[in-house]
Amino acid sequence: MRKIAIKDIRKPDYFYTEAIKTLRTNIQLSGKSIKTIMVSSCFPNEGKSDIVLSIAQELSSIGKKALIIDGDIRKSDFAIRLGVEEEVVGLSQFLSGQAEVKDLIYSTSYPNLHIIFGGPIAPNPSGLLSEDLFRTFMKEIRNYYDYIIVDTPPIGSVIDAAVIARYCDGGIFVIEPGVVSYKLAQKCIKQLEKSGCRILGAVMNKVDTKKDKYYSSYYKHYGGYYQKLATSEQTEKTQ
Ligand SMILES: Nc1ncnc2c1ncn2[C@@H]1O[C@H](COP(=O)(O)OP(=O)(O)OP(=O)(O)O)[C@@H](O)[C@H]1O
Ligand SMILES: [Mg+2]
């Protein structure tokens, strides 16, 4: 396995860090059978990839063996996000038969944290993800990790997240307040649930506690980020 140096250039934020810890605890409390977790949202830019990275870092920091899979093979940006300069092999190359599993997984500068990059943009991402190869891979890889966190494209735009959801034990739905209506969030969550994936909860991300009195009174303890507990119904109360 190749080792790769990664850099998280985000500025540490106390409240964000505390909220991620709460999210991690809630993931652990979701049950032993929840190992592979996909993260999606209705729209682009709601903060999915950021949350994938934060959860995986947090889990690995407490000694859990964690793997990030960049399942957004339409717009894979983990290598750029993490300041990786060398060329890396990614999921799209594996799914299209151009790489083997042994070339795919990178250990990182963080102890216990491994990563699979998305690879070059494939012409038919949902087709590749629907292949038996991906199903078999997901079934096999879970035996080597405590948690696998899978980044996906927004479910409101493309079907890939629903395809990935088929092979995951649970899902986390990211919501940027003011961007997504309650009705649309419910529709997207239902679509993921139809794939047989249990939605563990919703994360309300990018909450500006200074600007928004509603959130500042309710969620002041969570800084710019708020994590709902467990059920998709709970998203209703946050809209
Ligand atoms: N809690 C937060 N507070 C402020 N900014 C945030 C927060 N989370 C993410 N961002 C910013 O929002 C932008 C989008 O984040 P990110 O790339 O994680 O979203 P995404 O949902 O993965 O987008 P895409 O659907 O395009 O892949 C980034 O510039 C990121 O730094
Ligand atoms: Mg992303």
Side-chain angles (χ1 to χ4, degrees):
M1 185 185 300
R2 266 167 70 192
K3 184 168 181 174
I4 199 138
I6 61 171
K7 280 188 296 254
D8 184 357
I9 54 157
R10 295 176 298 177
K11 277 194 206 132
D13 176 284
Y14 174 78
F15 295 108
Y16 183 88
T17 308
E18 286 305 302
I20 290 292
K21 282 190 205 298
T22 311
L23 179 58
R24 181 261 297 162
T25 306
N26 288 332
I27 288 172
Q28 289 180 287
L29 290 172
S30 297
K32 221 178 159 194
S33 61
I34 305 291
K35 259 186 151 191
T36 48
I37 300 167
M38 54 91 64
V39 177
S40 198
S41 67
C42 286
F43 294 127
N45 216 40
E46 293 192 72
K48 297 174 288 301
S49 304
D50 245 37
I51 291 202
V52 165
L53 179 60
S54 301
I55 299 171
Q57 281 171 330
E58 172 58 24
L59 284 163
S60 65
S61 77
I62 58 156
K64 300 289 175 196
K65 217 167 166 228
L67 171 70
I68 293 174
I69 300 182
D70 184 358
D72 188 350
I73 56 176
R74 290 173 192 265
K75 192 183 72 70
S76 168
D77 63 1
F78 266 97
I80 298 166
R81 188 179 290 262
L82 295 171
V84 174
E85 280 163 12
E86 62 195 272
E87 209 167 297
V88 286
V89 170
L91 187 62
S92 62
Q93 284 147 306
F94 168 68
L95 295 177
S96 58
Q98 299 174 69
E100 294 178 39
V101 175
K102 68 173 174 52
D103 307 317
L104 200 60
I105 307 172
Y106 292 84
S107 65
T108 69
S109 347
Y110 294 82
N112 307 312
L113 179 61
H114 291 177
I115 186 163
I116 293 179
F117 295 98
I121 301 163
N124 178 18
S126 48
L128 280 184
L129 294 164
S130 306
E131 297 272 345
D132 268 357
L133 185 59
F134 188 54
R135 184 173 51 82
T136 315
F137 171 73
M138 289 298 284
K139 210 169 150 190
E140 186 61 25
I141 197 81
R142 61 181 292 124
N143 298 320
Y144 298 92
Y145 293 93
D146 295 313
Y147 289 98
I148 298 174
I149 314 294
V150 191
D151 194 17
T152 71
I155 182 74
S157 317
V158 289
I159 196 69
D160 306 12
V163 177
I164 292 172
R166 283 185 213 153
Y167 314 125
C168 292
D169 307 320
I172 292 174
F173 198 73
V174 179
I175 296 175
E176 183 177 348
V179 169
V180 184
S181 69
Y182 167 64
K183 217 170 161 188
L184 184 61
Q186 285 293 17
K187 200 176 150 199
C188 291
I189 286 169
K190 278 207 180 97
Q191 199 174 346
L192 291 173
E193 283 173 337
K194 264 194 215 154
S195 308
C197 179
R198 184 178 141 206
I199 298 299
L200 306 172
V203 167
M204 185 163 284
N205 196 25
K206 302 197 196 180
V207 175
D208 188 341
T209 51
K210 285 186 204 102
K211 256 197 198 158
D212 196 317
K213 281 192 185 137
Y214 175 78
Y215 292 115
S216 60
S217 58
Y218 274 77
Y219 305 132
K220 63 184 172 193
H221 302 299
Y222 294 93
Y225 167 102
Y226 177 69
Q227 180 261 317
K228 293 294 288 178
L229 288 174
T231 64
S232 49
E233 292 91 72
Q234 284 176 302
T235 55
E236 183 174 13
K237 294 170 204 156
T238 69
Q239 293 297 305

